[in-house]
Amino acid sequence: MATEDFARWAARTEATLERLLPDPSGEPSRLHAAMRHASLGGGKRMRPLLVYAAGTALGADEALLDAPAAAVELVHAYSLVHDDLPAMDDDDLRRGRPTVHVAFDEATAILTGDALQTLAFSALAAVDAPAQLRIDWVRTLADASGVAGMCGGQALDIDATGGGGRKRGQVHFPLAENEPDPFFSLSRLQRMHALKTGALIRAAVRMGALAGGADAATLAQLDMFAAALGLAFQVRDDLLDIEASSEQLGKTAGKDAAQDKSTYPTLLGMDGARAKLGELAVAMDQALAPLAPRAATLAALGELAVRRSH
């Protein structure tokens, strides 16, 4: 049943994105084409699936969830476009295709990310839904996207790459001999990913729950689930970067080691990272227990995040 739900929700997301994205034949056609290249026909759609799963678990109509599901995917797509830029991770493969700055050019990629982000908020503002719900959606997505969310997490990631930015030529105070590098602490790594990856995952669950009229206690349970899911998603990502091929991942494998990034396997070892993943799976189950059996599709998405192969 969950698999059928996921396929239907992914199709709804694709259809909503098709409707929202500008016509590639219109001007500026290059920007329009790049926006579609970044958003359509690929990806796991984990974040929109979480919107639908949380919302329908609480009785929301799927049609009401179309806009927030597409909006969170648009923000995710924008973040990937900017993350792949030469100034960030400098990657040339995403979802099995050339990244936007490779397929088009760097300036177009920057504009593409900007346009996708603003389109997300425009979509939420235009929904035929109560004003307070739209405001709550906008606030939730904005908080998850900015300095207290993805942007802040990306800044911490840049700081941590190559040992606190030392390979990027940033001004810094050198560490004393034998002083532990603060950029490679587990607590800092978890905080970084709670912002960079986890914030948007928590926002997706919360936006769906808000559409279903969730009370404060339910929102708190779902936030605990989403926080564990966000970290689990990243731990699995770190493991796959080592274990999987570029063909499996649809992006360049081995980038973490090449860029001297702080990851769960580098801090905990492969066995330690797998154990951490198991702990997070238990935490997800415990958070959803008070909502069973309504939360079956959310639980299935949690299991998918832990066991995924790409």
Side-chain angles (χ1 to χ4, degrees):
M1 180 62 176
T3 302
E4 295 174 4
D5 289 335
F6 298 161
R8 184 176 70 258
W9 294 339
R12 291 188 73 103
T13 301
E14 191 79 3
T16 305
L17 291 172
E18 282 274 8
R19 177 174 56 80
L20 290 172
L21 288 163
D23 185 344
S25 66
E27 292 294 338
S29 59
R30 186 175 181 81
L31 176 58
H32 292 177
M35 292 170 69
R36 299 175 75 85
H37 178 91
S39 306
L40 297 175
K44 293 174 281 295
R45 304 299 193 208
M46 172 64 76
R47 291 151 191 83
L49 293 183
L50 287 167
V51 175
Y52 284 111
T56 56
L58 298 174
D61 189 276
E62 286 184 355
L64 180 61
L65 300 168
D66 288 338
V72 78
E73 184 66 10
L74 287 168
V75 168
H76 177 55
Y78 120 71
S79 75
L80 297 181
V81 173
H82 282 188
D83 196 47
D84 290 333
L85 286 167
M88 298 287 187
D89 278 359
D90 192 15
D91 215 332
D92 58 5
L93 188 67
R94 174 68 68 178
R95 294 174 171 175
R97 299 180 294 186
T99 50
V100 174
H101 72 273
V102 171
F104 296 87
D105 57 72
E106 191 171 339
T108 299
I110 293 170
L111 292 173
T112 296
D114 294 343
L116 292 173
Q117 182 188 42
T118 54
L119 180 59
F121 290 100
S122 177
L124 291 178
V127 179
D128 182 13
Q132 187 58 54
L133 178 58
R134 284 180 285 151
I135 290 169
D136 289 342
W137 279 340
V138 167
R139 181 184 296 115
T140 297
L141 190 55
D143 288 346
S145 305
V147 69
M150 283 194 317
C151 288
Q154 179 69 3
L156 292 175
D157 193 13
I158 290 170
D159 285 344
T161 299
R166 283 184 280 284
K167 290 187 178 178
R168 294 176 181 261
Q170 297 171 357
V171 176
H172 68 283
F173 294 101
L175 298 174
E177 188 176 356
N178 298 323
E179 181 183 353
D181 191 335
F183 290 103
F184 284 86
S185 70
L186 182 59
S187 61
R188 185 179 178 89
L189 182 67
Q190 291 187 164
R191 179 169 180 264
M192 177 183 79
H193 288 308
L195 298 180
K196 183 180 177 181
T197 304
L200 198 58
I201 285 175
R202 294 195 304 274
V205 173
R206 190 175 189 88
M207 290 169 77
L210 288 168
D215 58 24
T218 301
L219 287 173
Q221 288 298 130
L222 288 174
D223 194 59
M224 285 190 288
F225 161 75
L229 173 60
L231 286 179
F233 194 91
Q234 187 59 53
V235 175
R236 187 63 183 143
D237 220 43
D238 289 353
L239 288 166
L240 287 171
D241 188 70
I242 297 170
E243 297 173 334
S245 66
S246 296
E247 290 72 24
Q248 286 176 280
L249 296 176
K251 59 182 180 180
T252 307
K255 289 281 288 187
D256 292 342
Q259 295 182 340
D260 193 20
K261 282 198 171 187
S262 179
T263 67
Y264 287 93
T266 58
L267 288 179
L268 303 175
M270 294 295 284
D271 289 343
R274 293 189 186 99
K276 180 67 174 178
L277 197 58
E279 292 172 9
L280 291 166
V282 171
M284 284 189 279
D285 290 342
Q286 291 175 340
L288 291 180
L291 305 176
R294 294 179 296 165
T297 51
L298 281 171
L301 285 171
E303 184 175 355
L304 183 63
V306 168
R307 299 184 184 279
R308 65 193 174 94
S309 60
H310 65 281

